[in-house]
Amino acid sequence: MGSGEAPDLRLAGLALAAWLTALAGLHLSAARTLLVAAVAAGLAVLAALHLLGVAGRPGAVARRYGWIAVAVLIGVVCGGATTSARLAVRDAEPLRVLVDERARVTAELVVRDDPRPVRGGIVGRPPTLLVRTKLVTVTGPAGQRVTAPARVLVLASDPAWRGLLPGQRLTAEGRLAEPRGGDLTGAVLLAVGPPDRHGGPSALQRAAGRLRAGLQQACVPLPDEPGGLLPGLVVGDTSRLPDTVEEDFRATGMTHLNAVSGSNVAIIVGAVLLVARWARAGPALAATLCGLALVGFVILVRPSPSVVRAATMGAIGLAALAAGRPRAAVPALAAAVAVLVLVDPDLAGDAGFALSVLATGGLLLLAPSWRDGLRRRGVPPGAAEALAVPAAAQLACSPVIAGLSGTVSLVAVPANLLVVPAIAPATVLGVVAATVSPIWPYGAELAAWLAHWPAWWLVLVARYGARVPAGNLPWPGGVSGALLLAALTVVLLVAARRPVVRRLVAVLTVAVMLGTVPVRVVAPGWPPKGWVIAVCAVGQGDTVVLPVAAGRAIVVDTGPDPAAADACLRRLDVRRVPLLVVSHFHVDHTGGVAGVFRG
């Protein structure tokens, strides 16, 4: 939308209310969530009756905000009702009894997503795989058979679990355990041995697996860093990505490039739309071709819930661009958020979902006005677009990123700006390599070789950006830190409408950088370079950290507080602990164990 055109936020309140209600419901019981929905339903009916009763009287502004309040209450009703129904399935009594008993069971499951290795495993042992599944039936130790469509998280170490595909049915044995809570997972299955597969995967999943394997094979002759990055950039496959590259991407705020997101969808379908317009195809034919490209890309990267979410978000932004009616994109985004949360309330607590929604919202609400402002100041149209889009997406996502990481990256926006020209060619060429790999392996290798050059640029930007002094500043983590940064961001955006505030912010920013960067270059701060031992202040107790490699350290004792232990390791930039030593089992030495495992 243009800088002078107000966004259409009529559905935003309903979508936000449904989202937040579902998120709250994940931490409540089904009965309490349903009670919240019932109270909201009563208030919505009373408010609607009152508004209808005064519809002919003055006070149009009051009526307008009244109907907005009714829409918010309807969102609470919808979010609470659907979430409570899912919670009733999660907390079903027969399954809960088996979980409480930590029973040894035989479970029939359907795989929901690709198996993923759990980070921070024990060195020298096979990685523990995390597999998200849907329960069909479970047979307890006494032969009792329970049928419940609950979600089960499988933790398995047998390599036979690695090759599973979404939609595949299997039977597994193991012991049930209590889930962590905060989502729709009804139980954790600690699997013993390999799964017993019931038939093969579907034709779509076999086709996706063939294309993904072809892309991996085409990247084998390439150097390790760009060759490992390219499959992650295209289809989210980071199995060959070196740890050093992954850490550099995290430090520079570029980790979203290693996962399938709405930007991938927009790039692929946007390329098809560009070709269709160049060939003078009509709107109907162009829309058909874009739809086919979208379906094909979803098949390529596997139609898991995260991919469907990314496709939905990317398609919204692209539809607004193609239709020439950007005001309709914000209601479409709100409707998509509401529908996705109501279909799967688990998305309400998914950080990836929040980042996708916020990034799309930033592109729709912030990027157009920033782009137009840059154009008025003489910036060329292409450069204005390239500057506004990543800056808007990064600013919108920064509260969630800060809450998750406990840091605010000062290099994220410049790094994302620098890599913008390389993302689209690397993604498109990577998709071409995967698509032609089954029929023309040499052509796939050629396309991958061409794609590895822009991928190499991404590696270089991440490498040097991660080494910028004071590139990441500490920030309060968790929900409080995210809300604090979100509030500051909103205040800054509102205040920045005044020219004097913009000039003041620019002067303060330059002053802070000139004052702090030289100091941080001379004295980089904590931890000092070449440190060999650190003893953290964790209250009554001890936590001793001994570095063994970059980002790795041995930890001796954990102190009494998980938060203090976690903060200690974060400040020391320790991301993996190959060995945890407990000197003796007193709470002031073991109480912070959960903090060591956190993150």
Side-chain angles (χ1 to χ4, degrees):
M1 69 196 71
S3 58
E5 190 175 359
D8 186 350
L9 301 177
R10 286 175 294 180
L11 291 178
L14 186 149
L16 185 61
W19 186 358
L20 294 180
T21 305
L23 178 60
L26 294 176
H27 299 274
L28 300 173
S29 64
R32 291 181 178 179
T33 306
L34 188 59
L35 177 61
V36 170
V39 171
L43 293 176
V45 171
L46 292 176
L49 291 175
H50 176 70
L51 290 170
L52 291 174
V54 299
R57 299 178 183 178
V61 175
R63 290 197 302 274
R64 177 184 177 186
Y65 285 105
W67 284 115
I68 292 176
V70 171
V72 170
L73 291 171
I74 292 174
V76 174
V77 173
C78 296
T82 56
T83 305
S84 64
R86 298 298 185 91
L87 292 174
V89 174
R90 182 194 70 178
D91 300 330
E93 185 64 24
L95 180 62
R96 179 58 51 187
V97 170
L98 294 175
V99 171
D100 293 340
E101 295 175 352
R102 296 183 62 87
R104 180 71 177 262
V105 299
T106 300
E108 185 178 350
L109 308 166
V110 177
V111 179
R112 297 181 58 243
D113 207 347
D114 293 293
R116 296 182 301 165
V118 178
R119 294 181 59 85
I122 300 176
V123 177
R125 291 190 180 182
T128 299
L129 297 175
L130 183 150
V131 189
R132 301 185 185 277
T133 66
K134 180 180 178 181
L135 180 66
V136 179
T137 60
V138 60
T139 304
Q144 67 272 34
R145 189 179 181 89
V146 176
T147 301
R151 296 182 180 182
V152 175
L153 187 66
V154 180
L155 297 177
S157 57
D158 195 292
W161 287 84
R162 186 178 295 274
L164 296 175
L165 295 175
Q168 199 162 5
R169 297 176 69 95
L170 57 91
T171 300
E173 296 183 356
R175 189 173 298 278
L176 292 179
E178 184 83 18
R180 66 177 182 178
D183 55 24
L184 293 180
T185 303
V188 175
L189 178 66
L190 307 177
V192 178
D196 182 14
R197 308 186 187 194
H198 300 169
S202 65
L204 286 180
Q205 298 294 351
R206 287 198 302 270
R210 191 177 303 115
L211 294 175
R212 292 164 68 96
L215 177 60
Q216 283 281 11
Q217 187 63 34
C219 293
V220 168
L222 303 177
D224 290 341
E225 292 179 331
L229 173 63
L230 191 58
L233 188 67
V234 177
V235 297
D237 184 359
T238 58
S239 58
R240 291 182 55 230
L241 183 66
D243 290 341
T244 54
V245 177
E246 189 171 2
E247 298 300 337
D248 290 344
F249 270 55
R250 183 178 296 109
T252 52
M254 294 166 54
T255 51
H256 59 93
L257 300 177
N258 292 333
V260 178
S261 65
S263 61
N264 298 73
V265 177
I267 288 171
I268 298 303
V269 184
V272 175
L273 181 63
L274 186 64
V275 173
R277 286 181 172 177
W278 174 78
R280 300 184 182 277
L285 179 57
T288 302
L289 293 175
C290 290
L292 292 175
L294 181 60
V295 172
F297 183 72
V298 171
I299 293 174
L300 170 64
V301 298
R302 294 180 181 168
S304 61
S306 61
V307 174
V308 174
R309 178 201 70 213
T312 303
M313 294 302 158
I316 290 170
L318 186 66
L321 180 65
R325 298 181 59 190
R327 281 193 90 246
V330 176
L333 173 62
V337 169
V339 170
L340 289 172
V341 168
L342 297 181
V343 170
D344 184 7
D346 219 11
L347 288 175
D350 185 355
F353 176 72
L355 291 174
S356 292
V357 174
L358 291 174
T360 307
L363 297 181
L364 297 176
L365 296 174
L366 300 178
S369 60
W370 292 2
R371 175 201 61 203
D372 296 342
L374 290 172
R375 286 180 178 177
R376 288 194 299 269
R377 288 164 176 79
V379 179
E385 193 86 29
L387 289 171
V389 168
Q394 185 65 35
L395 182 68
C397 294
S398 57
V400 174
I401 296 174
L404 293 173
S405 64
T407 61
V408 174
S409 177
L410 301 182
V411 299
V413 172
N416 281 275
L417 288 174
L418 288 173
V419 301
V420 164
I423 296 173
T427 303
V428 173
L429 289 170
V431 170
V432 170
T435 304
V436 304
S437 60
I439 56 177
W440 190 20
Y442 176 76
E445 291 186 4
L446 177 61
W449 180 82
L450 293 174
H452 103 279
W453 292 107
W456 182 256
W457 172 246
L458 271 66
V459 173
L460 290 179
V461 171
R463 178 184 301 168
Y464 288 103
R467 287 156 178 76
V468 173
N472 289 276
L473 300 180
W475 188 265
V479 177
S480 59
L483 293 177
L484 176 60
L485 186 57
L488 291 176
T489 301
V490 171
V491 170
L492 182 61
L493 288 174
V494 173
R497 294 177 178 270
R498 299 178 178 273
V500 64
V501 175
R502 290 198 297 267
R503 296 190 186 99
L504 180 61
V505 170
V507 170
L508 290 176
T509 302
V510 172
V512 170
M513 293 183 64
L514 292 177
T516 58
V517 171
V519 175
R520 292 304 299 266
V521 171
V522 175
W526 185 264
K529 187 176 181 180
W531 66 286
V532 295
I533 187 171
V535 181
C536 296
V538 292
Q540 181 181 354
D542 299 314
T543 295
V544 181
V545 185
L546 305 169
V548 294
R552 295 171 176 260
I554 295 173
V555 177
V556 181
D557 294 331
T558 64
D561 182 14
D566 180 43
C568 161
L569 297 180
R570 285 181 182 274
R571 290 194 63 197
L572 294 171
D573 200 25
V574 174
R575 295 172 293 277
R576 295 192 180 183
V577 179
L579 178 64
L580 172 62
V581 179
V582 177
S583 60
H584 60 283
F585 292 97
H586 286 173
V587 69
D588 57 342
H589 291 258
T590 62
V593 168
V596 175
F597 295 133
R598 190 178 301 162

